[in-house]
Amino acid sequence: MPLRVEPDRTFRQALAAADRPLAGMWVCSGSPLIAELCAGAGLDWLLIDAEHSPNGLESILAQLQAVRGYPVQAVVRPPVNDTVLLKQYLDLGVQDLLIPMVNSAAEAQAAIAAVRYPPHGVRGVGSALARASRWNRIPDYLARAAETISVTVQIETGAAVAAVEEILAVDGVDAIFLGPSDLAASMGLLGEQEHPTVRAAVEHCLAAAKTAGKPAGVNAFGEATARAYMDAGASFLLVGADVALLARGTEALADKFIPTNPDGGAPLGGTGDAPSSY
């Protein structure tokens, strides 16, 4: 007799049950080992990123399997809002999606259609072949599939900010997530995500989400900025990234143990290509 299993809790359900903002981090390395290390850190959620990171279907699957034994919510960001790609993500067992660059209600509606079976959407039917249904071990998966999936859409352009109320009104959009870096770039303020105009746009969207009764999150690596957005109503945040932590941590080690020239050049005794032996 095969096992009958139940789907995991969705990010939508985690947000609804939370009594405080949920703190998470990016997982961009493409490594299941690093993903598992991060899953055990005590954070609320992880974002496995495939938009700006070296992640394909196989590595995403391996990371989902690596983190599943930990009490952390795994959200996955595809590189694009594409019906075929979203079908593949869902079939391999992604339950929580963060859709990038959603600039209009029509684009949000397309994402929702991609995650729902007909007649409510256009998702292709292949659940018997897929990890999503645990190969037909989740009872009534086809009828229940929509409730096992959450969709968060990313607001990261001036056009999206202008349309945020319409995007929030789309049935099936569970939450919005603000990307200040791309938002700043779209406003002609590349690299200035802390600019008052950008901060005001983010806070406008947080307020719009509150009015709509939906959660809103934001990317904020600086602690002061993160706490300010929490005070402004953010329900969830990304406050770090595996690759950034590794880069800054290894740089700190080098600063401690590798002497440099007074002019800040290459390490003393080295060529600049690699540190010399001591």
Side-chain angles (χ1 to χ4, degrees), residues 128-226:
L129 310 175
R131 182 175 178 267
S133 70
R134 297 305 189 268
W135 303 277
N136 276 351
R137 290 171 181 159
I138 293 178
D140 301 318
Y141 178 79
L142 290 176
R144 302 170 55 197
E147 71 188 52
T148 72
I149 297 163
S150 79
V151 177
T152 301
V153 300
Q154 196 155 356
I155 307 297
E156 46 188 339
T157 67
V161 171
V164 68
E165 287 86 358
E166 291 82 4
I167 293 170
L168 283 160
V170 171
D171 177 54
V173 169
D174 295 305
I176 61 170
F177 185 79
L178 289 306
S181 293
D182 275 305
L183 180 56
S186 80
M187 294 175 155
L189 297 165
L190 182 63
E192 298 184 58
Q193 56 265 33
E194 297 286 352
H195 192 282
T197 302
V198 179
R199 294 280 292 264
V202 171
E203 291 176 5
H204 166 75
C205 293
L206 294 175
K210 182 177 181 180
T211 298
K214 292 186 177 181
V218 63
N219 193 54
F221 283 14
E223 183 178 351
T225 301

Side-chain angles (χ1 to χ4, degrees), residues 17-36:
D19 58 3
R20 57 171 176 78
L22 301 184
M25 68 176 290
W26 297 80
V27 178
C28 304
S29 63
S31 164
L33 182 62
I34 297 299
E36 186 173 3

Side-chain angles (χ1 to χ4, degrees), residues 61-78:
L61 173 58
Q63 288 170 84
L64 291 175
Q65 292 170 327
V67 307
R68 191 174 181 272
Y70 294 84
V72 67
Q73 206 75 35
V75 181
V76 181
R77 182 169 73 167

